Every structure is written in structure tokens, then in C-alpha cells.
């Protein structure tokens, strides 16, 4: 029987192989390219199988019994297997080369106009200007950022959904709220740290304590009398205040407010003794003669507050900040995460973007995906301990 007589059945098998290779989910990134590449893989495999099943080939093969013919067939099989393996790498390379091919949604879990929203729009504009990406900011506020992050957790992991998370919804809220709709470790794939916004310990200029050391001494001499205000229960300022009293061994009263402005007003009015303010709130008071900035919660002084000493000078190792970073849903392909990390790192080097971020009182970060993941885990361990020790919780 001639080889051609097997072609009808063999061709059907090859076509079926191609169809099998083309079955890629519709929501897969760059699925058209993947279908084409996978089809070629299965087509090559089908041709190889067709050749082996051809009686003509089989007859010639059976007529050769020496070791050389077996070795040649073995080499042929290895060569084709290697080619198939290399072909399997093509979809990944093509996906990376073509990404992004559609708008990228950057979810902000807070209302428009806030610090996180401003940061997201700075970043989106920078990526658009430098790479001509279409990054669309979408605000999904609620429950301290947990609503928006829950939406990201359920989003398609196709590289076109990401969010600007921060310390509150990544390392505080999971331990603060009685119920939460996401698991940080399981539902998200960290991409890159963007910035950190430290806290500033603020007191009245006429207070009897002129340094952190004197403030601690005053609190220890007057147990239960020192009051520390914050912008709300569970905020980074609240947890930082509790961290401070824990590390210094103080008995103080923590007073939550509905935002930074009322907390600052009550500090100036003498209703509270101290306030852990965000850097933007503290920057607004730099020229106010009624305010003294005692310390900042960074290991070293920062350019925006060159004359404000680190709190770590008094309490070694003390560090606290509201850190922001980009995350995608778990399951997002590593090569897409790699592209996002690389390109965002590049725009964070831009002087114009750095100036905008720093003007908001932030420290520009960047770095590797692993560094961001490790930072989330480190902060979670620290803040969960403070929340547990303080016995604080919020019911939804």
C-alpha cells in the first residue's frame, strides 16, 4: 500500500490535532497568537505520528536491524521532541512582546481626590506618556479599601486588571475587620512597591515636651493622661500611635477622629496632646508657629522634613508608613507581571514623576516583585500583633 493511501485518515488526525491546539479560553491574554502557536505544535506532532504510522515507513524501518538505523530513529525522535519543546515557548514570548494590546484598568479602592487616587493618576499618566499605554483609573471605595480590593481578587487575571493597594487594606484591615472578602496571600500577585508615606508626630509648640524623649518621660510620669489623636480607628496613624505606646511602654489614651483635619484642629485647640499625622497633613503645618514636629517615622530624615529627626533615634528600629504598591489578581502570568514591574520601575525613575510623588510627602520606592511581597508579609506580621495586643476590631 502506498503512503498516499493513508492520507485521508492521517490528514483527519492532523486536522484534529490542530483543532485541539487551537482550543484556548477566550479570556486568555493574546489568545489568537497562542492558538496559532499551539496549532503549529500539534500539527508538527500530527505529521510525526502520521509518518510513524505509514506502512511504507514502517517497512523500511523494519528492514534495517543494525544499531545505526535504531540510533538514527532515536535521534530523530529526540530532535522533534526538542523542536516541540521550543515551539511551546513561543506563546509566552509572543504574549510578552505584544502586551498590552488593550486598556489596563487601575483600580483605586478609595474615593477620587484622595492621596491614593492622586498617586494612581500620576502613575497612569506617566505610563501613558512614556509607553503609550491606555491606563484607566477606576475608583471603587468602601470599608477602608476592602470593597475595591475584593473586586480585584475576583477580577480576571489577564494582565488588564490591577490595583493600587496600600498598607491599610493589605496589612491592617485583614486583621482589623471581622469579615473580609479577600485573602492577601492567596488572591493577589504583588507587582511593585510604588511609594511610602510616613507619619509625623506632631504636638503644640507650647507643650512642655520638646523632644520624643521628653514626651515619653512626661507620659510615664502621668500614666493615662497623655492623649494621642489619629484620623480614624484602624488608620495607619492609629496603628502607628499604638505601636509607639507599645514600644515605649506607655499608658496613653488613643483618640480617633473622622479625618486628619478635625484631629489637627483639636490638637491646636488643646483637646489632645499629640497627633500622628500623615506627611501631607504635617506639610500643611510646616510654617505654623503653633505646631512642633517632634519626629518622623522613617529610619532616616527625608527631604520634605530635613530638620525633623527620625523617631528611631529614640526608639531604635521604629518605622511606620502607609505604603502603596501595584497588585494584580492571583494567576496573572509571570511574564506579564515582569513587564509591569520593569516598566513601572522605569517611570518611577522619571524626575517629573518623582517630584510629583515627593510633593505629596511620599518616598519613592520601586524595586522587585519579591521585595514588595516580602514587605507586605513583614508589615502584616507587625501590624497584626499591634492590633491583637490593642484589642481593636471593626465589625462590618
Amino acid at each position: 500500500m502506498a503512503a498516499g493511501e493513508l492520507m485521508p485518515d492521517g490528514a483527519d488526525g492532523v486536522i484534529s490535532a490542530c483543532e485541539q491546539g487551537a482550543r484556548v479560553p477566550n479570556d486568555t491574554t493574546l489568545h489568537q497568537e497562542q492558538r496559532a502557536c499551539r496549532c503549529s505544535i500539534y500539527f508538527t506532532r500530527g505529521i510525526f505520528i502520521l509518518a510513524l504510522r505509514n506502512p511504507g515507513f514502517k517497512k523500511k524501518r523494519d528492514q534495517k536491524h543494525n544499531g545505526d538505523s535504531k540510533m538514527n530513529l532515536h535521534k530523530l525522535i529526540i530532535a522533534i521532541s526538542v523542536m516541540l519543546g521550543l515551539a511551546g515557548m513561543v506563546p509566552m514570548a509572543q504574549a510578552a512582546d505584544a502586551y498590552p494590546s488593550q486598556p489596563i484598568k487601575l483600580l483605586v479602592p478609595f474615593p477620587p481626590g484622595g492621596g491614593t487616587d492622586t498617586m494612581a493618576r500620576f502613575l497612569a499618566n506617566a505610563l501613558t506618556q512614556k509607553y503609550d499605554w491606555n491606563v484607566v483609573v477606576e475608583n471603587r471605595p468602601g470599608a477602608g479599601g476592602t470593597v475595591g480590593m475584593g473586586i480585584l481578587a475576583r477580577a480576571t487575571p489577564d494582565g488588564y486588571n490591577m490595583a493600587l493597594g496600600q498598607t491599610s487594606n493589605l496589612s491592617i484591615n485583614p486583621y482589623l475587620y471581622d469579615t473580609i472578602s479577600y485573602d492577601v496571600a492567596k488572591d493577589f500577585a504583588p507587582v511593585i512597591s510604588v511609594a511610602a508615606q510616613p507619619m509625623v508626630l506632631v504636638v503644640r509648640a507650647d507643650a512642655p515636651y520638646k523632644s520624643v524623649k521628653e514626651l515619653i518621660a512626661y507620659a510615664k510620669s502621668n500614666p493615662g493622661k497623655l492623649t494621642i489623636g489619629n484620623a480614624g480607628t484602624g488608620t495607619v496613624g492609629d496603628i502607628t500611635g499604638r505601636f509607639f505606646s507599645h514600644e515605649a511602654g506607655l499608658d496613653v489614651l488613643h483618640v480617633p477622629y473622622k479625618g486628619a483635619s478635625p484631629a489637627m484642629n483639636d490638637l491646636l485647640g488643646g483637646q489632645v496632646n499629640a497627633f500622628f499625622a500623615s506627611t501631607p497633613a504635617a506639610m500643611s503645618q510646616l510654617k505654623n508657629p503653633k505646631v512642633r514636629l517632634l519626629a518622623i517615622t522613617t529610619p532616616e530624615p527625608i527631604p520634605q522634613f530635613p530638620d525633623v529627626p527620625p523617631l528611631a533615634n529614640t526608639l531604635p528600629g521604629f518605622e511606620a508608613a502607609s505604603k502603596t504598591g501595584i497588585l494584580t489578581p492571583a494567576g496573572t502570568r509571570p511574564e506579564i507581571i515582569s513587564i509591569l514591574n520593569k516598566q513601572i520601575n522605569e517611570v518611577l525613575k522619571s524626575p517629573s514623576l518623582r517630584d510629583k510623588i515627593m510633593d505629596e510627602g511620599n518616598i519613592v520606592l520601586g524595586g522587585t516583585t519579591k521585595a514588595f511581597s516580602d514587605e507586605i508579609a513583614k508589615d502584616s506580621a507587625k501590624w497584626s500583633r499591634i492590633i491583637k495586643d490593642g484589642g481593636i476590631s471593626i465589625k462590618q
Side-chain angles (χ1 to χ4, degrees):
M1 183 179 295
E5 295 181 25
L6 280 181
M7 284 306 294
D9 291 339
D12 288 344
V14 174
I15 291 172
S16 296
C18 286
E19 291 175 346
Q20 181 182 358
R23 293 192 190 107
V24 180
N26 287 334
D27 62 351
T28 302
T29 306
L30 305 176
H31 55 276
Q32 291 181 341
E33 291 87 344
Q34 291 188 52
R35 284 197 183 98
C37 292
R38 192 172 291 187
C39 181
S40 67
I41 295 172
Y42 279 87
F43 182 83
T44 305
R45 186 179 297 172
I47 290 295
F48 178 54
I49 294 172
L50 176 64
L52 291 179
R53 289 179 178 176
N54 188 306
F57 176 85
K58 185 175 183 299
K59 181 177 180 181
K60 291 180 180 179
R61 184 191 63 189
D62 292 343
Q63 290 175 349
K64 296 182 179 181
H65 300 289
N66 59 64
D68 290 342
S69 64
K70 293 181 180 179
M71 181 64 70
N72 289 338
L73 178 60
H74 182 65
K75 288 180 179 180
L76 174 62
I77 293 172
I78 292 177
I80 293 178
S81 298
V82 170
M83 290 174 66
L84 291 173
L86 292 174
M89 298 170 64
V90 174
M92 183 179 297
Q94 285 190 331
D97 290 342
Y99 178 85
S101 60
Q102 66 188 60
I104 301 173
K105 182 189 297 181
L106 176 53
L107 189 148
V108 175
F110 296 99
T116 305
D117 177 68
T118 301
M119 179 86 65
R121 295 181 190 279
F122 285 162
L123 186 60
N125 290 338
L127 289 169
T128 298
Q129 292 173 7
K130 186 172 179 63
Y131 301 112
D132 199 29
W133 289 6
N134 186 1
V135 182
V136 181
V137 176
E138 180 178 311
N139 299 86
R140 300 300 294 270
T146 61
V147 171
M149 297 308 293
I151 292 172
L152 179 72
R154 298 185 294 274
T156 304
D158 57 3
Y160 296 97
N161 291 288
M162 59 185 186
L164 188 61
Q166 62 171 211
T167 298
S168 64
N169 44 56
L170 297 176
S171 301
I172 293 178
N173 290 348
Y175 309 98
L176 184 67
Y177 287 85
D178 59 342
T179 58
I180 199 166
S181 62
Y182 57 86
D183 184 314
V184 174
K186 296 180 180 179
D187 293 335
F188 303 130
V191 176
I192 186 172
S193 294
V194 174
Q197 189 175 94
M199 309 302 293
V200 180
L201 180 56
V202 184
V203 299
R204 283 172 55 100
D206 59 2
Y209 24 80
K210 311 300 182 185
S211 67
V212 174
K213 185 177 181 179
E214 291 180 3
L215 176 65
I216 293 174
Y218 173 87
K220 288 186 174 181
S221 299
N222 300 274
K225 291 186 177 181
L226 185 74
T227 54
I228 300 179
N230 61 69
T233 300
T235 61
V236 174
D238 176 30
I239 306 303
T240 299
R242 295 174 186 274
F243 184 37
F244 169 68
S245 60
H246 180 278
E247 295 298 293
L250 305 179
D251 178 13
V252 304
L253 176 64
H254 298 279
V255 184
Y257 288 86
K258 293 183 178 180
S261 295
M264 185 67 77
N265 289 337
D266 269 13
L267 173 73
L268 295 173
Q271 281 74 40
V272 290
N273 303 118
F275 171 38
F276 271 99
S278 64
T279 44
M283 288 173 74
S284 69
Q285 302 295 323
L286 279 173
K287 297 182 180 180
N288 188 342
K290 296 182 179 180
V291 168
R292 175 177 288 111
L293 309 184
L294 283 190
I296 190 165
T297 60
T298 51
E300 302 291 337
I302 65 173
Q304 298 94 322
F305 300 89
D307 299 324
V308 180
L311 205 154
N313 288 357
T314 305
L315 296 175
F318 192 98
E319 187 270 337
S322 176
K323 300 166 187 174
T324 57
I326 295 293
L327 302 99
T328 61
T332 302
R333 298 198 343 219
E335 63 269 23
I336 299 300
I337 292 176
S338 178
I339 291 172
L340 288 169
N341 178 274
K342 178 181 178 181
Q343 308 303 62
I344 294 173
N345 262 316
E346 285 300 313
V347 297
L348 287 176
K349 296 175 183 178
S350 163
S352 61
L353 179 58
R354 293 180 70 88
D355 288 345
K356 289 177 181 178
I357 293 175
M358 292 178 67
D359 286 346
E360 295 291 317
N362 298 287
I363 301 167
V364 181
L365 297 178
T368 66
T369 295
K370 184 178 185 304
F372 183 30
S373 181
D374 290 347
E375 194 66 29
I376 293 172
K378 178 182 175 182
D379 282 348
S380 295
K382 177 168 66 177
W383 298 133
S384 62
R385 175 172 58 87
I386 299 302
I387 291 169
K388 181 180 180 180
D389 291 347
I392 55 177
S393 64
I394 296 177
K395 293 184 177 181
Q396 294 204 80

